[in-house]
């Protein structure tokens, strides 16, 4: 049986939005699917060395985020609110046995998930390849399309 | 009960959420030889469906699923 293929475009760099690509990638790899994740724009935050477990989530502009009490939008913009929301989500994850982003990234690498960093974004934001975790390839839109054209599942997150 | 199933390896995935029970099951099954049996214990309610999907995709066989109070026990035969 030829292996199925999946690609994911990871375009977000917040704690909450880093989960879906990594959960799907690691699970797909465990289901014998060849996985490629293309990290573009803020998604590159996930790939920066020692940064995966430092991602944050903000209650600002995020009205669906469950909070212990209703928080007015203006209050969400105060200093410390982002840190509080981040700490809250991390403690919820820990309590429910949800792996950290760093752990999922390690598991993805270990299971052979191919990681491609967007060249254009790196140039745009001034990121160097050395600043990213080891084993990352750098490529452009055509590199992703080439793999996506032969994949059964292609997701933009 | 499951007295008729000879278990070769036990994996405790209790307290873990998606996707960790599946990832750990995959690793544990990889370490077995063909026809050996892995017993996996989970508490994640989603693992019941996930384990079936995973086994179907990877060509392994779930011989039996037992549901306790908040726990699920899977007997998986390495078939692939």
């Amino acid at each position: 049986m030829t292996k199925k293929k999946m690609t994911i475009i990871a375009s977000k760099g917040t704690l909450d939005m880093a989960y879906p690509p990594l959960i799907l990638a690691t699970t797909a790899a465990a289901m014998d699917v060849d996985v490629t994740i293309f990290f573009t724009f803020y998604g590159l935050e996930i790939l920066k060395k020692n940064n995966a477990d430092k991602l944050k989530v903000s209650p600002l502009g995020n009205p669906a985020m469950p909070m212990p009490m209703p928080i007015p939008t203006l209050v969400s913009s105060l200093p410390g609110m982002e840190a509080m929301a981040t700490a809250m989500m991390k403690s919820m994850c820990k309590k429910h046995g949800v792996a950290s982003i760093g752990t999922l990234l390690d598991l993805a690498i270990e299971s052979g998930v191919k990681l491609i960093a967007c060249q254009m974004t790196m140039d745009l934001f001034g990121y160097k390849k050395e600043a990213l975790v080891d084993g990352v390839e750098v490529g452009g839109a055509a590199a992703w399309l080439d793999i996506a054209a032969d994949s059964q599942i292609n997701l933009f997150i | 009960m499951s007295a008729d199933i000879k278990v070769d390896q036990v994996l405790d995935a209790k307290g873990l959420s998606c996707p960790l029970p599946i990832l750990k099951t995959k690793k544990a099954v990889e370490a077995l030889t063909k026809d050996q049996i892995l017993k996996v214990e989970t508490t994640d309610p989603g693992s019941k469906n996930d384990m079936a999907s995973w086994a179907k995709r990877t060509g392994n066989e779930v011989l039996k699923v037992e549901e306790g109070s908040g726990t699920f026990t899977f007997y998986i035969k390495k078939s692939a």
Side-chain angles (χ1 to χ4, degrees):
Chain A
M1 197 172 72
T2 49
K3 276 181 139 187
K4 301 277 185 195
K5 288 186 186 179
M6 172 166 90
T7 74
I8 300 170
I9 298 179
S11 69
K12 304 281 198 293
T14 52
L15 175 61
D16 51 341
M17 291 307 285
Y19 270 106
L22 291 175
I23 289 174
L24 290 169
T26 49
T27 304
M31 292 171 87
D32 299 332
V33 176
D34 267 337
V35 187
T36 302
I37 314 179
F38 185 82
F39 295 83
T40 188
F41 278 79
Y42 314 114
L44 282 176
E45 289 297 303
I46 303 167
L47 287 187
K48 281 187 185 167
K49 272 188 183 130
N50 305 315
N51 198 47
D53 282 328
K54 291 179 190 159
L55 301 179
K56 296 181 178 73
V57 62
S58 174
L60 199 60
N62 198 358
M65 189 178 176
M67 296 298 261
M69 69 203 82
I71 294 181
T73 302
L74 202 59
V75 176
S76 291
S77 69
L78 296 176
M81 287 304 289
E82 190 178 270
M84 194 200 83
T86 302
M88 206 180 81
M89 184 167 283
K90 281 187 174 176
S91 96
M92 275 191 329
C93 286
K94 206 168 188 177
K95 191 176 145 208
H96 288 95
V98 176
S100 74
I101 294 298
T103 301
L104 287 172
L105 182 62
D106 289 345
L107 288 168
I109 293 168
E110 192 186 305
S111 55
V113 171
K114 191 172 169 187
L115 309 173
I116 304 180
C118 171
Q119 176 76 65
M120 183 276 281
T121 313
M122 290 179 61
D123 295 344
L124 189 66
F125 292 168
Y127 296 162
K128 296 273 171 286
K129 190 168 185 277
E130 302 78 64
L132 305 180
V133 295
D134 295 335
V136 172
E137 288 175 34
V138 178
W144 171 77
L145 275 155
D146 186 33
I147 304 165
D150 287 329
S151 299
Q152 289 75 29
I153 309 166
N154 295 304
L155 302 173
F156 181 91
I157 299 175
Chain B
M1 286 298 284
S2 51
D4 51 326
I5 298 178
K6 186 189 143 288
V7 173
D8 295 288
Q9 190 69 250
V10 179
L11 171 66
D12 179 4
K14 293 195 290 292
L16 299 177
S17 279
C18 170
L20 291 175
I22 292 292
L23 304 187
K24 286 182 181 286
T25 299
K26 163 77 172 176
K27 264 191 195 171
V29 166
E30 259 176 5
L32 298 179
T33 55
K34 198 168 181 291
D35 294 330
Q36 281 192 317
I37 290 163
L38 175 74
K39 176 182 172 180
V40 187
E41 295 170 303
T42 71
T43 49
D44 171 19
S47 62
K48 199 184 168 190
N49 285 333
D50 277 359
M51 207 62 85
S53 301
W54 173 83
K56 185 177 139 232
R57 267 292 145 200
T58 54
N60 292 293
E61 190 184 350
V62 180
L63 299 175
K64 189 175 190 173
V65 186
E66 290 169 353
E67 282 191 53
S69 51
T71 63
F72 300 88
T73 308
F74 303 87
Y75 296 87
I76 298 166
K77 184 174 162 188
K78 178 168 176 150
S79 311

